[in-house]
Amino acid sequence: MEGMEKFLLKFKGYYFKRLPLDIGFIENLDNFEIRENDVFIVTYPKSGTIWFQQLLSLIYSEDHRKGAGKLETMDRVPFLEYNFRKMDFGERPSPRLFSTHLPYYLVPSGLKNKKAKIIYVYRNPKDVMCSYFHFAKNVMSQFTGTFEEFMKQFLEGRVMGSLWFDHIKGWYEHRSLFNIQFMTYEEMKKDLRGSVSKICKFLGKGLSEEDMDAVVRQATFENMKDDPLANYDNIITSGYGPNVKGHFLRKGTIGDWKNHLTVEQNERFDQIFQREMKDFPLEFIWDM
Ligand code: A3P
């Protein structure tokens, strides 16, 4: 797998990244205690996770909105399954904010009892694939092959997060188990303020106009890209080792796939998409 496999660990049919995975924690995840007011962002990798981490934190933290309390994204909205900071989640004050890339069937059973709120964020998979290619190659240095080789791996689900199609379909088809709101990367991009209102409504959070301005201002691509706390800069330099470099925020656009896929690759992708997503009711936005 062009060197990527050694960075992955397959557990119950799903590819995790090995680092910083605590497999004992993952084996007991079903019993992880969920609180009524926990909030989870669920994404397939490269769908805008970091964006929603920033947004959730800004919505919940007045300190963050005011630019005080200098914390990194990872400390504000930690990943459930990748506990970089070795936090004691049980000690975290409520409301706890979490991110996860987990498939629906691996999350704690408390979530399946609709105990907490979940926002599932998805992005058109051609852009996901392109973002992932750059990330695997240029940020993580875990992939050395061509775009075509990456596309094959992505379409076979041999990447962290496993198969994109399974992830979204699994969550959507089991949505009645969860208290879940589906949102797209693209709607955020097209109307950030309207999307923040939608998120707040789902979460039952009322924000003043002034607070709303502060959230929107600090969640734009330009502001996040220049903010090392919002761009995983420290995690990248300290958490993964010397070969890992760059930023999570790369281009932040809709339709970058047009700069990557050949006509033949695009047709092949479309065929697979149509076969896999036949009868799937959610809409995808492919262009700005
Ligand atoms: P690109 O590589 O296409 O630029 P994740 O956090 O799930 O890994 O997703 C990363 C992708 O989300 C990157 O996509 C990144 O640039 C984009 N992103 C992050 N914050 C963003 C923002 N504020 N506005 C637009 N895109 C953003």
Side-chain angles (χ1 to χ4, degrees), residues 46-51 123 131 185 219 221 248 250-252:
K46 313 321 293 171
S47 304
T49 323
I50 198 167
W51 196 1
R123 182 182 191 185
S131 177
Y185 173 96
F221 182 81
F248 266 60
R250 184 184 62 95
K251 217 166 173 184

Side-chain angles (χ1 to χ4, degrees), residues 129-167:
M129 181 173 73
C130 296
S131 177
Y132 213 154
F133 170 67
H134 287 285
F135 182 71
K137 198 173 171 92
N138 303 324
V139 178
M140 302 302 282
S141 305
Q142 292 181 349
F143 180 78
T144 52
T146 61
F147 182 75
E148 170 62 26
E149 284 159 347
F150 187 80
M151 179 162 158
K152 284 205 179 94
Q153 287 190 200
F154 180 82
L155 290 172
E156 288 167 9
R158 290 185 293 121
V159 290
M160 189 257 293
S162 291
L163 191 62
W164 180 88
F165 301 104
D166 289 347
H167 199 273

